[in-house]
Amino acid sequence: MSTYREILDHPVKAFQKEAPEECGPLVLEELERILESRQFRHCTRGKQFLRYVVTEKLNGRIENLKERSIGVAIFRRTANYATGDDPVVRVQAGEVRRRLEQYYQEAPEKTSVRIELPVGSYSPEFHRHSLQLSPPEASSVVFSAPSETKKLTRTFNAWRVSFFSLLAAVLMLAVLLAFMSFDRHAPVAQAAAPGSTSAAGTVLNEFWAPVLGSPQPLMIYLAKEVTYRPAISVYDEYARTHHGAFSKEVQRANDPIPLNPDRKLLWSQMVLYSDYGVATGDVDSAVRVSSLMGRLGKPDQVRIGRNFSYADLSNSPSILIGAFNDCWTIKLMAPLHFSLKDEGSQLFISEAGPHGRRWFWKNVSSAQKDYAVVTRLVNSSTGQYTVILAGLSGQGTEAAGEFVTNESILAAGLKNLPRGWPSRNLQLVLETNITDSEPDAAHVVASYSW
């Protein structure tokens, strides 16, 4: 059996893995401390996730610690949702692991039990303090393999956080690459008669039929906002008075510089960064659509920012992703039944007509409510099939991207449309609840076809 020898220069705690029934009360006490910590206090989804997996483990309901079960219980996904296309549980698990690592870096020495979520699993492990070692004893102590004993020295914790941060980054990259290339050549069910939802993949095929029937690749257009950053001189000035902080690009690119709010900046001290400015919700939708096109066997091309013209819209079927950051979205939607309006500080979705409704982004209890419009133009002014995904915020656009690529969500949203909708222009207003910056599955609150 492998062993690990650590030379320690300060007292440590050794933790031993415990069966849930042997340390249940201690685990519940520790769980509450974790949920009230600064790492989890304002992370609603993370708290829900951790409370769920811990209580299910303590109650012996191991069968509920599956990705699909968690997606249904926590994220309100349907029982048959495609986990391969929807990584929401995997992403949240990674976030919870990261916050737990941070919590135990700052945990008080009197912590009697430790809750961990192993990489690759949704079943938490509980480790209880077993002994206190003095420095002389610690200098020669031998630890068994990690699965038997957890080494919780400050030195090892620093190494482990760095290692798992790198591992998490590699895993996330692998998930993203797999998500974009998964099953690109898998067979897809052929579309049945318009309006039918009896065959797997039928609703997706009907919605995207004009794209699949075109000889041209689908053009996926991502808008890019104007983005500024402080000039290097601002960072250098800050570094001189703060022990070199923000003297490296890796910190300047990843952390906001904590300038005094009253600190005045000249316009010359702000620099336009042309490579920045793509919204994360837009990227999420683009990845979902590209992945779907791969599974349907349809080539696609991605264009970003100004690298897209009206001629491109006229030459190929297109999907425009974004709302007020996309000038083409605003222009094409302006004469339609549902359009985007900008009235000073008010951004909203507007319905045409003297009694038209309006939808605004809003705070609701501990979450937010966002709206988006999915516009499907079979007969567009460009002469090509065009789809527009436009949310009032990035999360709204992300929810719209999931709506048009998820078979079960799309089928539920289109079930009340009149017969013959696949051959008509269509607009759908979607509503989604947002918790911890994650949108729930969207549902249709208004529709119009012509």
Side-chain angles (χ1 to χ4, degrees):
M1 178 179 296
S2 299
T3 62
Y4 297 83
R5 182 178 300 275
E6 295 290 339
I7 305 302
L8 309 179
D9 58 1
H10 57 276
V12 300
K13 289 181 179 180
F15 285 79
Q16 293 181 343
K17 186 174 179 180
E18 297 283 351
E21 62 273 11
E22 297 177 3
C23 59
L26 292 176
V27 169
L28 291 177
E29 292 178 6
E30 178 68 0
L31 175 63
E32 294 306 317
R33 284 192 291 269
I34 292 173
L35 298 183
E36 290 302 317
S37 68
R38 71 173 186 85
Q39 288 82 8
F40 282 86
R41 188 178 304 125
H42 302 297
C43 179
T44 304
R45 271 288 160 74
K47 292 168 67 175
Q48 292 173 344
F49 184 100
L50 185 59
R51 186 184 295 277
Y52 176 84
V53 297
V54 168
T55 54
E56 293 301 295
K57 179 68 173 283
L58 290 176
N59 290 322
R61 294 189 286 265
I62 306 302
E63 69 277 4
N64 291 340
L65 299 178
K66 307 291 186 182
E67 181 175 358
R68 186 182 305 278
S69 300
I70 297 172
V72 172
I74 302 298
F75 300 98
R76 303 178 186 176
R77 297 310 195 246
T78 59
N80 62 343
Y81 87 100
T83 56
D85 292 343
D86 190 344
V88 62
V89 175
R90 300 189 293 277
V91 171
Q92 187 62 62
E95 178 67 14
V96 167
R97 291 188 191 99
R98 183 182 68 81
R99 290 177 184 270
L100 281 173
E101 289 285 351
Q102 293 176 346
Y103 170 78
Y104 283 112
Q105 280 292 303
E106 303 176 8
E109 291 296 317
K110 64 181 181 180
T111 298
S112 59
V113 68
R114 181 183 177 101
I115 299 174
E116 292 188 351
L117 188 65
V119 174
S121 172
Y122 305 119
S123 178
E125 292 182 355
F126 312 128
H127 303 272
R128 188 162 58 181
H129 171 228
S130 60
L131 72 161
Q132 182 79 27
L133 300 178
S134 64
E137 294 170 316
S139 64
S140 60
V141 67
V142 176
F143 288 92
S144 62
S147 61
E148 299 174 20
T149 307
K150 301 298 179 182
K151 298 166 286 182
L152 297 177
T153 69
R154 292 185 179 90
T155 301
F156 181 76
N157 269 334
W159 175 86
R160 185 170 65 176
V161 169
S162 299
F163 172 77
F164 280 110
S165 296
L166 177 61
L167 178 61
V170 172
L171 289 175
M172 286 300 294
L173 178 60
V175 169
L176 179 60
L177 293 175
F179 181 70
M180 295 182 68
S181 61
F182 174 74
D183 202 18
R184 289 190 66 89
H185 301 293
V188 179
Q190 295 299 313
S196 170
T197 59
S198 59
T202 294
V203 174
L204 283 173
N205 280 346
E206 287 185 328
F207 187 91
W208 295 101
V211 169
L212 304 180
S214 171
Q216 302 298 326
L218 173 68
M219 303 297 295
I220 301 175
Y221 174 58
L222 286 168
K224 188 159 69 66
E225 300 179 10
V226 174
T227 303
Y228 293 90
R229 278 180 58 188
I232 296 299
S233 60
V234 176
Y235 291 110
D236 289 343
E237 177 185 334
Y238 188 88
R240 285 194 294 271
T241 57
H242 291 80
H243 308 288
F246 290 92
S247 61
K248 302 295 185 181
E249 177 59 22
V250 64
Q251 188 177 13
R252 294 194 292 261
N254 288 276
D255 299 319
I257 183 171
L259 294 176
N260 187 317
D262 297 326
R263 200 286 199 192
K264 298 185 184 299
L265 289 175
L266 299 175
W267 187 240
S268 60
Q269 293 176 308
M270 297 301 293
V271 179
L272 177 64
Y273 273 67
S274 58
D275 289 339
Y276 290 25
V278 180
T280 55
D282 295 3
V283 173
D284 183 276
S285 291
V287 170
R288 289 179 183 274
V289 171
S290 181
S291 177
L292 174 64
M293 291 300 110
R295 298 199 305 276
L296 295 174
K298 182 66 180 179
D300 62 78
Q301 297 180 10
V302 177
R303 300 288 181 87
I304 299 176
R306 297 183 179 275
N307 187 25
F308 196 75
S309 66
Y310 191 82
D312 294 316
L313 285 171
S314 302
N315 292 331
S316 296
S318 303
I319 178 166
L320 309 181
I321 301 177
F324 298 96
N325 58 346
D326 186 343
C327 61
W328 292 117
T329 290
I330 301 300
K331 291 178 181 178
L332 291 180
M333 287 183 61
L336 303 182
H337 187 76
F338 298 117
S339 60
L340 300 171
K341 299 295 184 183
D342 181 354
E343 295 183 358
S345 60
Q346 295 279 319
L347 302 176
F348 58 94
I349 298 167
S350 177
E351 183 179 25
H355 304 292
R357 293 163 288 179
R358 293 181 171 187
W359 292 271
F360 298 83
W361 183 96
K362 64 184 73 171
N363 279 308
V364 180
S365 185
S366 60
Q368 294 84 41
K369 194 178 293 291
D370 196 11
Y371 296 90
V373 181
V374 172
T375 300
R376 175 185 183 269
L377 300 176
V378 177
N379 302 307
S380 170
S381 59
T382 66
Q384 291 284 347
Y385 178 76
T386 304
V387 172
I388 303 173
L389 307 180
L392 293 179
S393 75
Q395 289 86 1
T397 301
E398 181 178 340
E402 180 186 32
F403 182 87
V404 300
T405 57
N406 185 296
E407 173 72 24
S408 59
I409 296 176
L410 184 63
L414 301 181
K415 65 181 180 181
N416 294 323
L417 292 182
R419 292 180 60 84
W421 67 261
S423 61
R424 306 177 68 179
N425 294 329
L426 176 67
Q427 284 193 293
L428 305 168
V429 178
L430 309 180
E431 179 183 270
T432 180
N433 293 319
I434 302 170
T435 306
D436 290 342
S437 300
E438 289 288 338
D440 287 338
H443 62 277
V444 177
V445 295
S447 64
Y448 183 77
S449 60
W450 68 102

